[in-house]
Amino acid sequence: MAHSMDLRLRAIRLLEKGHTVLEVSELLDIGTATLWRWKARAREGRLASTYPKVRSTYKLDEVSMLSYLDEHPDAYLHEIAQAMQVSKTAIWSSFKRLGITRVLAYPLGKKRRRNTVSVTKNSAISMRV
């Protein structure tokens, strides 16, 4: 989390009064690397915080991806990526973000649900009777 502007100005004033970076660091409980960075930025006139950073939007239109999945439920990741003109990683990330698993995306199931040993034994016993 970014430090407040008041703290930044106080640290710069202390440094300008002649205190060392180590003294100010111990007094305000701020790392020395941070103080050096603030000192350089204060000389340039841009002491203000750059956080929170502005995130760019996602490349992938998830609504169109979901409609594509409705039309093509058995499509592979690379096929979906090619249709959406993004990478396979972008498709995989959006699946993860939306909570879509391969079993949910493909009702017929690309992953096989394997039976446990006890279920297999029970079904074998019931078949004998």
Side-chain angles (χ1 to χ4, degrees), residues 1-4 7-8 11-12 15 21 24-25 28-42 47 51:
M1 187 165 122
H3 295 283
S4 69
L7 182 66
R8 292 167 188 253
I12 294 300
L15 289 172
V21 171
V24 176
S25 171
L28 300 177
D29 195 31
I30 300 171
T32 55
T34 303
L35 289 173
W36 284 109
R37 195 175 320 113
W38 288 355
K39 192 174 178 180
R41 291 174 73 186
L47 186 59
Y51 292 95

Side-chain angles (χ1 to χ4, degrees), residues 75-90:
Y76 289 100
L77 283 180
H78 69 274
E79 294 170 346
I80 301 168
Q82 188 176 20
M84 299 290 120
Q85 298 177 351
V86 294
S87 66
K88 287 191 297 186
T89 309

